Amino acid sequence: APQPLAPGSSVEISAIGVSGKRPRYAADAKQAGNWVSALDAVDRATGRRLLYAPALGVWPEWLDGAAAAADCVLMDGTFWDDQEPVRAGFTERTATAMGHLPITGPGGTAERLAALDVPRRLYTHLNNTNPLTAPGAAEHQLLDAHGLEVAHDGMVLQL
């Protein structure tokens, strides 16, 4: 059920279960259900909506509709492509094996986000190995061509 952001606020936030993939530190936990959630924030006064999905290991069917209904989507941008963590040398697991859909490549989120008719679509939660952490990286041009952005520290989003 939606919860008010603060007492008297017109903004309500709902947690939406994304997947039951547990983080490695909780592999032995007995709790069932969704371990990964997205947040859907709606300003009841304006009707404006923000969808925040900072850790996305799968793209559930309902996400297309939730993202399309938003005025702004903040999406997991941890890894540029599936092989990035392996290439960086800090693990033998791919991005998807670590529970993060990559931005590009098969199953990547850029293609899905680019298809949405949503005013703002931004990536957040970038790993330090992601080339998008460098402002001048060529990968920004690919995002720009699709109307996608990277959120930055101190950014204010006004809906």
Side-chain angles (χ1 to χ4, degrees):
Q3 299 294 314
L5 181 62
S9 173
S10 63
V11 177
E12 294 179 343
I13 298 180
S14 300
I16 306 168
V18 174
S19 79
K21 182 173 181 0
R22 295 180 181 157
R24 290 175 75 184
Y25 63 82
D28 296 330
K30 305 262 187 274
Q31 296 143 290
N34 289 307
W35 282 76
V36 178
S37 297
L39 297 177
D40 184 36
V42 180
D43 186 337
R44 295 292 174 206
T46 65
R48 300 280 189 180
R49 171 166 279 170
L50 174 121
L51 179 67
Y52 178 53
L56 201 60
V58 296
W59 189 287
E61 287 184 30
W62 61 262
L63 190 55
D64 286 320
D71 296 286
C72 181
V73 176
L74 285 169
M75 182 66 57
D76 180 9
T78 304
F79 296 113
W80 177 253
D81 62 48
D82 203 33
Q83 293 299 315
E84 180 183 328
V86 176
R87 211 173 32 254
F90 64 85
T91 184
E92 293 181 9
R93 297 168 56 215
T94 64
T96 51
M98 293 177 69
H100 297 281
L101 288 178
I103 293 171
T104 61
T109 58
E111 188 175 312
R112 289 177 180 260
L113 286 177
L116 296 172
D117 185 21
V118 173
R120 304 264 330 248
R121 295 151 296 162
L122 300 99
Y123 283 104
T124 189
H125 192 245
L126 276 61
N127 192 63
N128 62 356
T129 59
N130 189 323
L132 291 172
T133 59
E139 288 80 359
H140 285 278
Q141 293 174 2
L142 176 72
L143 295 187
D144 289 345
H146 295 293
L148 306 175
E149 306 172 64
V150 175
H152 57 81
D153 289 344
M155 180 179 241
V156 175
L157 296 171
Q158 192 164 2
L159 298 175

